[in-house]
Amino acid sequence: QVQLVESGGGSVQAGGSLRLSCAASETTVTLNAMAWYRQAPGKRRELVATITSDGRTNVLPTVKDRFTISKHNARNTIYLQMNNLKPEDTAVYYCLAGQGFYTDYSPTEDYWGRGTQVTVSA
């Protein structure tokens, strides 16, 4: 069973930066895509960014100029660099990993992390 552990969340002021990490516990399972989702209070969970094992990415257009997804294959870890954060970025950020992925590179919903809170104050 793969466990995903997110870290890097916290509270920042608008304009600040955070770097989220998601590490998968297993390296014997092939994870062909990993992604970040977020869910703000009272809103639906939305896909923020996704990356496949060979480096193809897809980023939510509304954050594309501020957020960057990257990976470290050997560590089975992905990162989300978030710059110029805005109050509307406040949400719980979840990591998802899948053994497959869809045409938009989002992973099949095989493994979810527990989430990390990001709070951006004005």
Side-chain angles (χ1 to χ4, degrees):
Q1 181 71 12
V2 176
Q3 291 186 339
L4 303 177
V5 179
E6 301 111 330
S7 61
S11 297
V12 296
Q13 289 188 328
S17 298
L18 285 172
R19 187 192 195 209
L20 306 183
S21 300
C22 172
S25 61
E26 277 283 342
T27 58
T28 57
V29 174
T30 300
L31 300 172
N32 284 303
M34 295 179 73
W36 290 100
Y37 282 73
R38 69 184 180 185
Q39 187 166 21
K43 295 189 177 180
R44 297 177 64 181
R45 189 174 295 187
E46 66 175 350
L47 176 64
V48 178
T50 186
I51 187 166
T52 63
S53 57
D54 60 357
R56 286 173 283 178
T57 62
N58 189 13
V59 181
L60 182 68
T62 54
V63 303
K64 197 169 187 176
D65 60 341
R66 301 184 292 118
F67 291 10
T68 303
I69 188 169
S70 59
K71 64 184 177 66
H72 191 300
N73 280 341
R75 298 175 185 169
N76 243 13
T77 299
I78 63 168
Y79 307 95
L80 185 68
Q81 178 66 44
M82 305 186 294
N83 298 326
N84 191 21
L85 283 160
K86 302 177 179 182
E88 52 263 40
D89 295 319
T90 295
V92 178
Y93 284 71
Y94 297 91
C95 181
L96 170 66
Q99 293 176 268
F101 57 89
Y102 301 104
T103 54
D104 64 352
Y105 307 147
S106 60
T108 50
E109 295 190 24
D110 295 323
Y111 310 103
W112 282 98
R114 294 192 171 193
T116 185
Q117 177 70 45
V118 171
T119 303
V120 185
S121 57

